[in-house]
Amino acid sequence: MGTVVCKFGGSSLADDRQVAQVRRIIESDSRRCLVVPSAPGKRDDSDTKITDLLYLCHELARQSLDYSQPFAMVRARYEELAARLGTSLNIGRLLDQLKARIDNGASRDFVASRGEFLCGKVISDYLGATFIDAAEVIRFRADGELDPASYRLIREKVDGSGLFVIPGFYGSDPEGAARTFSRGGSDITGAVVARAVDAEVYENWTDVSGLLMADPGLVPDARPVREITYREVRELAYMGASVFHDEAMFPVRAAGIPIHIRNTNRPRDPGTRILARRELTADLIAGVAGQPAFTMLFIEMAMMNQQKGFGRQVLEVVASHDISYEHTPSGIDTMSVIMRDDQLGGKGERLVDDIQRILQPDRVELLTGLALIATVGEGMSHRIGIAARLFTALADARVNVRVIDQGASEINIIVGVEEADYKRAVRAIYDAFVD
């Protein structure tokens, strides 16, 4: 019988009713023997996430300011949760210990990690499970990367039968100090645990019934995605789709472990399965995603193709201004470098001056107000007429295409349009491919 690792997000653990639902889910399948909880999330729109309160406590303490109000909110949440679940855990003592650590200058990572730590303590007591402190099994190297020894440490700790709870989001550095992943890092913890035990599936329980083929803010009737590949998710996430924590795919992807995104409050919904490979269906694409706020550096120079090292020099100038770039579409005598506006910042004029001074092109300018849209699908490279359908849809919607870029993977086509046309373009592409 295979093992199922279950990660539950903050919305799934926001109050005692949600935690009771989590228990029903776990007990409904005996394979669900490893649980990775986040910190409790918002109970309603006016509420505050536990992690945000803890960050606030740390910052106020760092400035020698009174943090009693946010800490009282943290204490009230955990004491209420523990009491309503009927646990025997002395949560007050653990909170007192946390306050003492904050008073003594505990690190930001340590304070933030207590959201998951305390939730894991409550959940394990409620479930009658074995609690494993993530600091004992999730190890970071000195450079901040995950230490592969973590996989062995996890396997050793969960050896045997029973239910185990490992809090998400944090681990420890080589000196034993608490170290957190980036925000949303409980997804990564779940993936690391799943790989360590060679899980049959990694279930990621949240407040939505899987992924959608487009941003519902742009396409309100966007269809759900039943199956999608790691590569497709990676492409969509890169273009801004809020699909799954990007780093969380890599541990399970390397081991070929499926990810199943499911809705805690609608457990019968099919959700979305993320797989190494999937059967190609009548759906030509997996999804459409995009982002506004890009700028294009456009360079034109006669006989550019005969200037050895020209492209390298352009990118060296860009790098010298500490700017990362996204795409470099080019022609015989033209080259463009597309950058995010937040990367470019206020460096545009100096960048153009340096390009002009060092490379002496015939023309160089910055074109602002660009939005990029990616149309993604594994089957695109095997179907005739994909590009024709896409550009016909944009032409019919009276959207002017400024940039076209198709990667070597052949599973996406990226177009650049004016920001004013962004929403209309996404809708047009979606309607062209989705019945």
Side-chain angles (χ1 to χ4, degrees), residues 242-254:
S242 179
V243 288
F244 193 67
H245 197 292
D246 211 18
E247 296 175 48
M249 282 195 301
F250 292 108
V252 288
R253 179 177 181 174

Side-chain angles (χ1 to χ4, degrees), residues 394-429:
L394 292 174
D396 290 345
R398 303 190 64 79
V399 173
N400 182 40
V401 177
R402 302 289 303 276
V403 179
I404 303 170
D405 190 16
Q406 182 169 20
S409 66
E410 296 186 336
I411 70 167
N412 75 339
I413 298 175
I414 295 176
V415 297
V417 303
E418 299 286 349
E419 286 184 340
D421 296 330
Y422 172 55
K423 183 173 182 177
R424 187 164 73 255
V426 171
R427 179 83 230 194
I429 295 171

Side-chain angles (χ1 to χ4, degrees), residues 184-236:
S186 292
D187 286 346
I188 307 176
T189 304
V192 171
V193 172
R195 179 173 174 180
V197 300
D198 193 23
E200 180 180 332
V201 63
Y202 169 32
E203 292 184 337
N204 193 281
W205 293 86
T206 181
D207 55 2
V208 295
S209 296
L211 312 181
L212 298 176
M213 295 186 73
D215 180 351
L218 302 177
V219 184
D221 55 346
R223 268 178 43 190
V225 179
R226 295 296 173 234
E227 290 189 346
I228 191 169
T229 66
Y230 298 124
R231 293 205 310 166
E232 290 169 327
V233 168
R234 170 74 171 149
E235 296 284 350
L236 291 169

